[in-house]
Amino acid sequence: MSGKDVFAALKQSILLHFGDTGWGEVGASLAVKYFSPMTHLCIVRVARGIAARTTWAAAALLDRVGGGEGCRVVPHVIHVSGTLKHAQIAAVEWNREAIARVKAGVGVYGTVPQRGKDTVAHFETSMREIEEVQD
């Protein structure tokens, strides 16, 4: 799964549920700014107002991402922000919480509990990548 797959899935969901009118509202501003295949955390940029609400609804209606059969997904919106900087801050905070949950052996929001230096390293790498995202 990649950022391109997430973009394509969002586009298909918008077209399916909101038609050409919905895509017309969202299409020009929709961009996947960050996606981590290890943590499955994604930052999506879209215009404010109706475009943001349409994108949020389309994300909530997603059940698969990727070509063919794709990967089953259950989207979880952790933050909606007016700026990329605040989205980055929220994503880094989510990663910190996820690291704490992994270290405690609880798992990350419905995933199988995984412990180990590799899992924590993936989240720490993800935090550095998030901080480097540019608008």
Side-chain angles (χ1 to χ4, degrees):
M1 190 170 15
S2 69
K4 289 181 182 181
D5 292 331
V6 173
F7 180 88
L10 280 171
K11 178 180 179 180
Q12 286 304 105
S13 182
I14 292 166
L15 286 168
L16 177 65
H17 299 291
F18 301 99
D20 290 336
T21 303
W23 181 244
E25 294 166 345
V26 174
S29 65
L30 182 66
V32 174
K33 299 304 280 183
Y34 171 78
F35 176 76
S36 169
M38 292 306 297
T39 63
H40 295 159
L41 183 66
C42 182
I43 297 176
V44 176
R45 183 171 193 250
V46 68
R48 296 176 191 223
I50 190 123
R53 289 190 302 271
T54 301
T55 303
W56 191 343
L61 294 167
L62 280 177
D63 66 343
R64 294 192 182 276
V65 173
E69 286 293 309
C71 298
R72 292 191 54 80
V73 296
V74 178
H76 177 76
V77 176
I78 59 170
H79 188 76
V80 176
S81 175
T83 66
L84 182 60
K85 183 65 178 172
H86 284 99
Q88 288 172 301
I89 291 168
V92 167
E93 181 60 31
W94 184 88
N95 269 352
R96 284 191 183 120
E97 291 173 11
I99 289 170
R101 292 176 61 85
V102 167
K103 286 181 177 178
V106 179
V108 181
Y109 302 106
T111 65
V112 176
Q114 297 176 355
R115 289 187 189 196
K117 294 179 182 177
D118 289 344
T119 304
V120 172
H122 289 304
F123 280 105
E124 289 172 348
T125 299
S126 177
M127 283 195 303
R128 285 191 298 277
E129 291 172 352
I130 290 166
E131 290 170 349
E132 293 172 1
V133 173
Q134 299 294 316
D135 194 19

